[in-house]
Amino acid sequence: MAKLAETLPYREEFEGLDFTNSPIVLGVNIEVVVGDLYLALKRSEENSTHKGYYNNVAGHIIGRTKFDILRSAFKELGEEIGLFPPFNGNVRVGGIIQVPRQGQMLHLVAVRVELEEPHDVLLNGEHTEALWLPKAERARLWPQVQSVSLVERHF
C-alpha cells in the first residue's frame, strides 16, 4: 500500500482562484523510481507540448485544495502508466516548481513515487515508449525539459 512520506506543500493563495483564462497553470510532475532506476516516458507526436521528448508522468491539478494535488497525481499515474493504488512504495511530495511555457507560468508540484518493485507500464496515447533507466542515462535523454531536472532538486 502506498504511504505518504511527507506533508503536502500548499500555498494558501491558490485556494479558490480560477485559472481558466489565466497565464498561471497548476500541475504535477511525477518522478517514478524503482531502486536506482527512473521511469522515462517518450511523448507522442500527437501531444501539444514536448512532442517526441522524454518526460516524467505529468498533468494538470484538477481542483484547488491540497488534497487535489494527490488526487491529480494518482489520476495521472493511472492514466499514463496504468499504476493504480494500492501499490507497494512511498509517495513523496516536494515543493512547487515554476516553469515558463508558451506565455504561461506553470506551477508544478514535484511528486516522487518510490516503488518497491518494477511496474509493468501500460501506456496510453500520450506516450509511445517507457524506459527504466539509471539516473545518468535518463538525464541524457531530456536536457530540453526543464521541469524534469527541477523535480530532482526536491528529493
Side-chain angles (χ1 to χ4, degrees):
M1 179 103 167
K3 299 177 289 247
L4 184 61
E6 296 181 9
T7 59
L8 289 171
Y10 182 64
R11 295 191 177 176
E12 296 298 328
E13 65 263 28
F14 291 159
E15 181 69 44
L17 295 179
D18 180 8
F19 293 102
T20 307
N21 296 310
S22 171
I24 298 173
V25 177
L26 296 178
V28 289
N29 194 301
I30 309 160
E31 180 176 74
V32 182
V33 182
V34 177
D36 294 333
L37 299 177
Y38 292 75
L39 181 62
L41 300 173
K42 186 174 184 180
R43 292 184 51 87
S44 164
E45 294 295 327
E46 306 300 316
N47 287 309
S48 60
T49 60
H50 304 305
K51 297 177 182 190
Y53 289 159
Y54 286 86
N55 201 354
N56 289 327
V57 173
H60 293 280
I61 294 175
I62 299 168
R64 298 290 178 256
T65 70
K66 55 189 166 185
F67 301 104
D68 293 326
I69 295 169
L70 274 183
R71 184 176 21 249
S72 296
F74 284 125
K75 174 185 161 292
E76 294 299 333
L77 287 165
E79 285 179 3
E80 294 188 18
I81 64 170
L83 179 63
F84 298 94
F87 52 80
N88 291 325
N90 292 313
V91 178
R92 299 174 63 202
V93 181
I96 295 175
I97 306 158
Q98 294 183 7
V99 181
R101 181 188 80 178
Q102 301 170 348
Q104 293 181 315
M105 179 62 75
L106 300 180
H107 291 257
L108 302 174
V109 177
V111 177
R112 182 174 175 145
V113 175
E114 300 165 341
L115 299 175
E116 293 177 7
E117 54 199 36
H119 167 67
D120 291 330
V121 175
L122 302 172
L123 298 175
N124 65 6
E126 228 175 298
H127 303 96
T128 59
E129 185 178 11
L131 303 171
W132 290 100
L133 301 170
K135 185 175 183 175
E137 193 173 334
R138 181 192 74 152
R140 182 181 53 80
L141 288 176
W142 53 45
Q144 327 82 328
V145 183
Q146 181 184 9
S147 61
V148 172
S149 61
L150 292 173
V151 168
E152 290 180 349
R153 295 182 196 163
H154 288 269
F155 302 106

